[in-house]
């Protein structure tokens, strides 16, 4: 059976067709970090591109073959208005219509933080492992569990309200559903799907919510191949 006979639709919260589609995304791209791993002529997938903020930034930096994909109709429509001519496409199901090993690199910026279900995260990482060629790169940026009292209270209240959810999943007052991970969870998830982390950094980052800041984590992982490597 072909993959296309059984499409997977990771849960996309309705927030991203309404309020979320008006937000200003904030996780910064470090051009020097990217350049160490991804040459300018690489073919890059920006998965969860939103309104194309990073897709456009990559084009400005001279990356000539970048493809932005997002499940949200509203975000892609916004991106087409703000960045006319950028290759932004909306797909709400996996697999994506690209051949195995199509891309030299993929970006996954604050996507696992909004795809909160374990099974949905696994399906997405499996698809990226299919699409990124062996020895290619996955560059991930997301939010780890925070240790300040505000976030800990938020995590604990959400866990008490819905005990079946992973710890770190919470809802914001404006209706957003998010998940913060332990950094080791991110590394383990990448390794389980064939990506070995080569570089990791943490920094302070503004959030979608005005006035709030969090620690973010950025990982660069290499797609492995051969027995005993990840998958």
């Amino acid at each position: 059976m072909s993959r296309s006979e059984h499409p997977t639709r990771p849960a996309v919260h309705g927030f991203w067709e309404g309020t979320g589609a008006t937000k200003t995304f904030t996780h910064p791209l470090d051009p020097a970090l990217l350049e160490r791993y991804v040459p300018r002529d690489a073919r890059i997938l920006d998965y969860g591109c939103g309104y194309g903020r990073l897709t456009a930034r990559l084009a400005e930096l001279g990356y000539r073959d970048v493809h932005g994909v997002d499940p949200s109709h509203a975000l892609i429509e916004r991106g087409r208005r703000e960045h006319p001519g950028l290759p932004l496409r909306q797909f709400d199901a996996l697999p994506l219509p690209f051949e195995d090993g199509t891309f030299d690199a993929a970006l996954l910026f604050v996507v696992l933080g909004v795809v909160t279900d374990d099974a949905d995260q696994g399906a997405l990482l499996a698809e990226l492992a299919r699409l990124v060629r062996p020895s290619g790169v996955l560059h991930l940026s997301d939010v780890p569990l925070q240790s300040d009292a505000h976030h800990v209270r938020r995590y604990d209240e959400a866990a008490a309200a819905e005990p079946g959810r992973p710890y770190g999943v919470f809802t914001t007052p404006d209706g957003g559903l998010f998940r913060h991970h332990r950094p080791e969870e991110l590394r383990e998830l990448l390794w389980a799907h064939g990506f070995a982390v080569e570089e990791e950094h943490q920094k302070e980052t503004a959030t979608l919510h005005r006035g709030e800041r969090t620690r973010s984590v950025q990982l660069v992982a290499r797609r492995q191949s051969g027995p005993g490597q990840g998958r």
Side-chain angles (χ1 to χ4, degrees):
M1 292 184 179
S2 69
R3 291 182 179 87
S4 61
E5 291 180 52
H6 298 286
T8 300
R9 288 180 169 80
V12 178
H13 199 252
F15 176 77
W16 299 108
E17 298 295 352
T19 301
T22 69
K23 298 286 188 179
T24 298
F25 297 167
T26 55
H27 274 230
L29 180 73
D30 181 341
L33 175 61
L34 187 68
E35 189 173 11
R36 286 201 290 274
Y37 293 91
V38 182
R40 290 294 195 279
D41 60 353
R43 193 173 199 203
I44 304 174
L45 174 66
D46 181 10
Y47 185 85
C49 68
Y51 54 89
R53 177 183 67 105
L54 293 181
T55 317
R57 178 65 175 137
L58 289 170
E60 290 171 359
L61 291 169
Y63 290 93
R64 299 184 295 275
D65 196 355
V66 184
H67 300 259
V69 170
D70 199 279
S72 166
H73 292 270
L75 281 167
I76 290 296
E77 287 304 311
R78 175 183 169 186
R80 288 171 177 164
R81 291 193 303 272
E82 294 185 8
H83 306 290
L86 272 187
L88 304 179
R89 301 171 70 183
Q90 188 275 334
F91 297 108
D92 61 3
L94 304 177
L96 298 177
F98 302 107
E99 297 296 323
D100 295 3
T102 291
F103 295 98
D104 302 298
L107 266 60
L108 197 65
F109 268 52
V110 203
V111 176
L112 296 181
V114 300
V115 178
T116 58
D117 180 77
D118 286 341
D120 289 340
Q121 290 188 353
L124 175 55
L125 265 295
E127 177 66 353
L128 293 178
R130 181 182 75 81
L131 293 174
V132 175
R133 63 170 176 80
S135 78
V137 165
L138 175 61
H139 185 15
L140 179 152
S141 182
D142 227 300
V143 181
L145 285 172
Q146 307 292 299
S147 57
D148 62 278
H150 168 67
H151 280 95
V152 170
R153 182 172 61 252
R154 182 180 264 176
Y155 304 146
D156 289 345
E157 289 174 354
E162 295 193 50
R165 278 185 177 173
Y167 188 78
V169 175
F170 62 94
T171 303
T172 56
D174 58 3
L177 182 67
F178 298 91
R179 180 176 180 178
H180 294 171
H181 301 74
R182 299 190 310 275
E184 57 267 29
E185 287 180 309
L186 296 173
R187 292 191 293 270
E188 290 165 2
L189 184 60
L190 292 175
W191 177 253
H193 291 89
F195 293 97
V197 173
E198 295 198 356
E199 197 163 339
E200 177 176 340
H201 302 277
Q202 292 201 23
K203 60 180 65 178
E204 188 178 81
T205 307
T207 76
L208 294 176
H209 301 91
R210 188 180 300 274
E212 291 189 18
R213 299 187 71 82
T214 61
R215 287 181 300 107
S216 66
V217 60
Q218 294 198 341
L219 306 172
V220 178
R222 182 81 62 184
R223 178 73 174 96
Q224 305 297 289
S225 60
Q229 300 296 324
R231 302 173 73 198

